[in-house]
Amino acid sequence: MTTITARERAAAQAYLRLLESTQAVLTDPHLEPYAAAMLTHPMAEADEALRAAGLSGNEDRLLRLVSALRASPTADLGRAG
């Protein structure tokens, strides 16, 4: 089993931060008008991390990593064969 790379882990974590930021902004009616401005940085961070990890366009792999990371944030994640 091969473990997740540092770049893949960073990409999955950036994606989770983007999801959490989006949820926080969109569930607060006072923040919703500022959503675009408030999400610019998390979107850019996630986009760059996905590109650096080679996960742009590979949603299946990204979502498997995110799912595994959420299930066990400190575990080594194996690559699907």
Side-chain angles (χ1 to χ4, degrees):
M1 178 190 315
T2 306
T3 60
I4 184 174
T5 69
R7 286 185 175 171
E8 288 174 331
R9 181 178 294 278
Q13 290 170 331
Y15 177 78
L16 286 172
R17 282 190 296 276
L18 174 59
L19 287 178
E20 291 164 359
S21 297
T22 301
Q23 183 178 20
V25 168
L26 295 180
T27 57
D28 184 336
H30 296 97
L31 295 178
E32 193 171 339
Y34 309 103
M38 295 180 78
L39 295 174
T40 298
H41 178 73
M43 285 189 303
E45 177 192 22
D47 191 42
E48 178 56 33
L50 290 169
R51 214 176 0 265
L55 293 171
S56 292
N58 192 348
E59 293 82 8
D60 185 53
R61 172 75 177 142
L62 171 64
L63 294 177
R64 281 195 315 264
L65 292 171
V66 167
S67 178
L69 192 63
R70 276 198 154 169
S72 180
T74 59
D76 282 341
L77 306 177
R79 290 189 187 270

